[in-house]
Amino acid sequence: MIRAAGHACYRPVWLTKMSRALSQRCLVQDKQPTLPFKPTKRAGRLTRGLRRNGRRLAKMFLFLASIVLFVLAIGLMKEGASNLTPLIRDSFRLDSPWRSLGFGWLFAYLIMSGSPVAAVALTFLDTGLLTPLSTFTMITGSRFGATFIVLLIGFIYVLRGRSRTASMTMGLLALMVTATTHLVALPIGIILLQQGWMDALRMSSDGAVGSILALTIKPLTAFAAANLPAWAIFVTGLGLIMLSFNLFDRCLPQMTLRESHLGATARLVYRPWVMFLLGAGVTLISMSVSISLGILVPLSARGFIRRENVIPYIMGANVTTFVDTVLAALLMDNALAFTVVMAEMVSMTIVSALVLILVYRPYEQTMLTSVEWCVKSNRNLTFFALLILLIPIVLIML
Amino acid sequence: MQMLVATGGARHSTQALWIASELAAPNTEVTILTVIRTGRETARGRTIAEEARTFWLPDHGHVTTKVRTGKPAEAIVQEAASGGYDLLVIGERSPHRLRTRLVGSVVAHVAAHAPCPVLIAKGVRSPAHRILICDSGGGSPSVITLFGHYPWAMRWAENGEVTVLHVMSQITAAPGVRGEQLRADATDLMKVHSPEGELLADDRTHLHDYGIDATVKVRHGLVREEVLAEADAGGYGLIVIGAHRRSGWQSFLLSDLAQQIISHADRSVLLLR
């Protein structure tokens, strides 16, 4: 039984534990380190220096580990996907771009991340399971599903009795901006691919990278191929890619901006293109939309972020979110995969630029009004949740 | 009080003249400025200026006319800077939005560079009956302090109804943050002593010290949209905003909300500095 915000509510124990675990994962924590003894001044400085260097070394190690795991994961997924192709072709029938759109969408829901699904799409392209067009739509679907994690966290807070508006607004805004811009970019990207206008943008990893991969990764993938069934190789690759993103997340500095100058500047109203570039830049560096959107959390110094700044920031993040997918395409040594990903980036850039230049104010109003409608009542929110769940299912069944 | 009224003879300038004549006190010294592009238009410029003079009744203070040559925006700003005026009044034609964005407008340039308060006159002829003062909480001194600095502004407020508006544009990014303040009205915010509530309470106290009994309001949403919506809903004739003059990286990176309000409002806007 769920009551209105502010009242005691009944919830199952498993839900409480899961929500706490998820909220710990997604919220920035400001933990103060504690020492087991009372140090002298010099000893304290030395200890702090050692701890700082130790933390830096640990982060460097995590970064290297995440890169190695990422490369290994791509290799394993390629190996596994090549043998799984007949099974997936018969089970899911991804021959239609609409079905692959729905598949990528649901898959991203399942694993609560878009980048691994995009990498999977490229491996399917590499094995011939997907056409370039279906790969394009599957990657697009992965973007729709990727914002689900932000919504889910908000929804769990609603179940815990928090304000619906406070909990859901950011997630809904991220989802709506992503969905609307990708929907408009979809036909543009399809035209770019079908007309061959992106054919000039083909790139693959050069001989040096290939040689390094042959020496380091290929023996591991060969070992896995010899000892594991195809589905296990694929699943292992998928798990490793998620682990690599997780490790990469831990490498990034903790942002504690409670009342810093940066927190204060977050309250100013910036020009839309400035926030667009900021969102693109932060996502380019972090290679994760969940990080670049999650960083809005510590930036809300008093707990608030200005409406005027959020939407262009999300739009920028949606352009450079494909950087890790570009890397995956290069590692696969598949020039066509690179072209498909570039078609995504180019189409999103075109749509974002057109919106920002020509129709930004009406677009901004529409997005904010839509979000307000969704959070107005439980019925509206439920309707919206059902919609984003049913649409990918319907697409798969087309 | 010294008032500079810029006119080009067009319909929007006529509207500005009507409004300026309504707002001017009997002892106001009015200078009517017409800017012409070249010397060949001198006769036309003088005609426009003399026609504008007729808007002022003989007992309405001293009226002089001036004709300057050059680019209108720059000439108006130069005259405002050299003449020591208390208020500059200018009309605005309905802007072609894309053209204004690409080329810029005279009003935009004047609003950005004039050294004195600027009244962009449009809409009703007697705008000072209901005044909406928009306080963002930023800028030093505050818009209320600036408003109280000008006796002519206080005279308008004494004869009309004054409302102070603060727009909260924030949304939460953290699920754990209390969201009640995002829907609260001014009374609730003042009760809980939130920063916005404190701002509005201070504004009301300051205006009360000036002898003005003001209403305070809070709206939630996009700043520009909410200011314009409140002005429309409340039937205000005059919107008062502060000019946050920015330089360097700030002018490059930050949005100019004052300019957006000026270009989208269908009623008079007073830009204080």
Side-chain angles (χ1 to χ4, degrees):
Chain A
M1 176 176 64
I2 307 297
R3 293 192 185 172
H7 293 78
C9 60
Y10 165 77
R11 56 190 181 275
V13 170
W14 65 268
L15 184 59
T16 306
K17 284 183 180 174
M18 186 177 83
S19 66
R20 273 191 196 145
L22 281 169
S23 61
Q24 290 294 320
R25 179 178 181 269
C26 290
L27 287 178
V28 173
Q29 304 211 4
D30 186 14
K31 288 183 182 169
Q32 297 295 327
T34 56
L35 296 171
F37 56 88
K38 195 174 176 182
T40 60
K41 217 173 186 176
R42 189 179 291 180
R45 262 204 300 266
L46 181 63
T47 309
R48 278 194 296 276
L50 282 172
R51 287 172 76 96
R52 201 165 36 237
N53 287 333
R55 276 197 293 269
R56 279 182 192 150
L57 276 172
K59 287 201 173 172
M60 272 174 56
F61 174 74
L62 281 176
F63 175 73
L64 287 171
S66 72
I67 299 295
V68 168
L69 284 175
F70 182 79
V71 174
L72 177 61
I74 296 294
L76 286 173
M77 280 166 58
K78 270 185 77 167
E79 184 68 39
S82 62
N83 293 317
L84 282 176
T85 297
L87 174 67
I88 294 172
R89 187 187 292 127
D90 296 337
S91 306
F92 293 103
R93 292 177 56 231
L94 297 177
D95 47 343
S96 150
W98 297 115
R99 285 202 205 101
S100 60
L101 174 67
F103 181 76
W105 195 332
L106 278 180
F107 199 173
Y109 277 171
L110 196 65
I111 62 172
M112 290 197 289
S113 180
S115 294
V117 176
V120 166
L122 294 181
T123 57
F124 286 172
L125 172 70
D126 194 55
T127 60
L129 178 66
L130 291 180
T131 62
L133 190 56
S134 294
T135 308
F136 180 86
T137 56
M138 185 169 164
I139 294 174
T140 301
S142 74
R143 292 300 121 200
F144 292 159
T147 49
F148 184 66
I149 179 68
V150 189
L151 263 182
L152 182 65
I153 299 296
F155 186 62
I156 287 169
Y157 272 82
V158 172
L159 291 179
R160 291 175 71 188
R162 301 296 176 93
S163 155
R164 184 177 48 238
T165 305
S167 304
M168 301 297 295
T169 299
M170 184 57 74
L172 284 168
L173 206 50
L175 183 71
M176 285 191 187
V177 171
T178 302
T180 49
T181 47
H182 271 283
L183 272 174
V184 178
L186 195 59
I188 295 175
I190 290 172
I191 290 170
L192 286 174
L193 283 174
Q194 286 184 329
Q195 296 298 322
W197 292 340
M198 302 296 298
D199 288 350
L201 284 175
R202 290 202 177 191
M203 191 188 291
S204 57
S205 52
D206 63 14
V209 174
S211 305
I212 293 169
L213 289 174
L215 281 174
T216 54
I217 302 300
K218 290 245 162 67
L220 291 169
T221 55
F223 176 81
N227 293 282
L228 292 173
W231 66 267
I233 299 172
F234 186 82
V235 169
T236 304
L238 188 60
L240 284 179
I241 208 169
M242 291 172 68
L243 179 62
S244 76
F245 284 129
N246 200 290
L247 291 180
F248 190 77
D249 290 354
R250 288 167 194 262
C251 300
L252 296 172
Q254 295 279 333
M255 302 294 286
T256 53
L257 303 168
R258 287 263 162 79
E259 280 300 334
S260 69
H261 291 301
L262 200 53
T265 56
R267 296 187 206 136
L268 300 174
V269 179
Y270 293 91
R271 295 184 193 271
W273 64 265
V274 172
M275 292 308 297
F276 177 83
L277 289 175
L278 184 64
V282 173
T283 311
L284 184 68
I285 294 167
S286 65
M287 290 207 296
S288 166
V289 166
S290 52
I291 293 288
S292 59
L293 294 186
I295 210 167
L296 294 176
V297 174
L299 276 177
S300 59
R302 274 177 54 243
F304 304 118
I305 294 220
R306 296 197 73 114
R307 292 166 205 260
E308 289 90 348
N309 291 335
V310 173
I311 290 174
Y313 182 91
I314 296 172
M315 290 169 73
N318 282 333
V319 171
T320 53
T321 186
F322 295 106
V323 164
D324 51 2
T325 316
V326 167
L327 287 175
L330 287 172
L331 285 169
M332 273 179 209
D333 202 16
N334 187 322
L336 189 54
F338 181 83
T339 304
V340 169
V341 181
M342 289 310 295
E344 289 273 5
M345 290 183 81
V346 168
S347 57
M348 280 300 290
T349 304
I350 291 171
V351 169
S352 302
L354 287 173
V355 168
L356 285 176
I357 293 169
L358 296 177
V359 294
Y360 178 65
R361 288 290 170 201
Y363 178 76
E364 181 185 43
Q365 278 285 55
T366 306
M367 289 297 103
L368 292 171
T369 306
S370 304
V371 167
E372 277 169 26
W373 179 87
C374 283
V375 298
K376 209 167 144 184
S377 67
N378 279 333
R379 187 181 64 180
N380 292 359
L381 195 57
T382 306
F383 173 76
F384 181 78
L386 282 174
L387 197 67
I388 61 172
L389 192 58
L390 287 174
I391 289 177
I393 294 173
V394 167
L395 285 172
I396 281 188
M397 288 161 58
L398 283 176
Chain B
M1 174 190 180
Q2 286 191 304
M3 181 192 285
L4 174 66
V5 184
T7 176
R11 196 172 68 176
H12 61 277
S13 295
T14 309
Q15 191 72 5
L17 287 166
W18 275 117
I19 292 171
S21 65
E22 286 283 332
L23 293 174
N27 60 349
T28 301
E29 288 189 25
V30 179
T31 301
I32 296 171
L33 173 68
T34 304
V35 182
I36 53 177
R37 296 269 181 190
T38 63
R40 282 181 297 205
E41 296 176 352
T42 306
R44 178 177 160 269
R46 285 204 188 114
T47 306
I48 292 172
E50 288 306 318
E51 282 175 3
R53 187 202 282 270
T54 60
F55 282 83
W56 269 264
L57 297 172
D59 59 348
H60 244 85
H62 185 241
V63 181
T64 54
T65 59
K66 277 188 181 178
V67 178
R68 272 185 173 241
T69 307
K71 290 181 183 172
E74 290 171 9
I76 293 170
V77 171
Q78 278 170 9
E79 177 61 31
S82 61
Y85 298 97
D86 299 303
L87 178 66
L88 164 60
V89 182
I90 187 170
E92 185 185 42
R93 71 177 78 227
S94 298
H96 296 284
R97 304 281 194 255
L98 185 61
R99 181 171 176 270
T100 303
R101 263 191 281 173
L102 291 175
V103 176
S105 72
V106 171
V107 167
H109 184 90
V110 168
H113 295 94
C116 61
V118 178
L119 174 66
I120 296 92
K122 40 185 170 174
V124 298
R125 287 188 185 176
S126 301
H129 287 323
R130 285 179 62 77
I131 300 173
L132 180 68
I133 303 177
C134 303
D135 191 356
S136 65
S140 179
S142 73
V143 67
I144 299 295
T145 305
L146 288 171
F147 191 78
H149 180 69
Y150 298 105
W152 45 267
M154 299 308 297
R155 183 174 53 78
W156 297 351
E158 284 165 7
N159 296 329
E161 295 172 32
V162 176
T163 300
V164 180
L165 172 70
H166 177 73
V167 179
M168 289 177 69
S169 170
Q170 300 93 328
I171 57 174
T172 59
V177 175
R178 295 171 64 84
E180 289 83 4
Q181 291 183 12
L182 296 178
R183 296 176 296 280
D185 61 17
T187 311
D188 294 336
L189 291 172
M190 288 192 288
K191 226 182 265 181
V192 299
H193 298 285
S194 72
E196 293 84 7
E198 295 285 324
L199 172 75
L200 290 170
D202 286 345
D203 287 348
R204 193 166 61 180
T205 305
H206 278 136
L207 286 171
H208 185 74
D209 292 342
Y210 294 132
I212 294 165
D213 194 19
T215 312
V216 292
K217 269 193 178 179
V218 158
R219 271 188 169 245
H220 302 278
L222 297 168
V223 172
R224 187 192 81 185
E225 277 70 16
E226 293 304 319
V227 167
L228 296 178
E230 178 62 30
D232 191 42
Y236 298 96
L238 180 65
I239 301 171
V240 180
I241 55 178
H244 299 298
R245 206 193 298 266
R246 305 191 197 277
S247 59
W249 68 269
Q250 290 192 350
S251 65
F252 188 62
L253 297 179
L254 299 178
S255 266
D256 191 345
L257 285 173
Q259 189 52 51
Q260 290 175 27
I261 291 171
I262 289 169
S263 62
H264 287 82
D266 58 356
R267 56 207 71 209
S268 296
V269 179
L270 175 62
L271 193 64
L272 292 176
R273 49 172 54 101

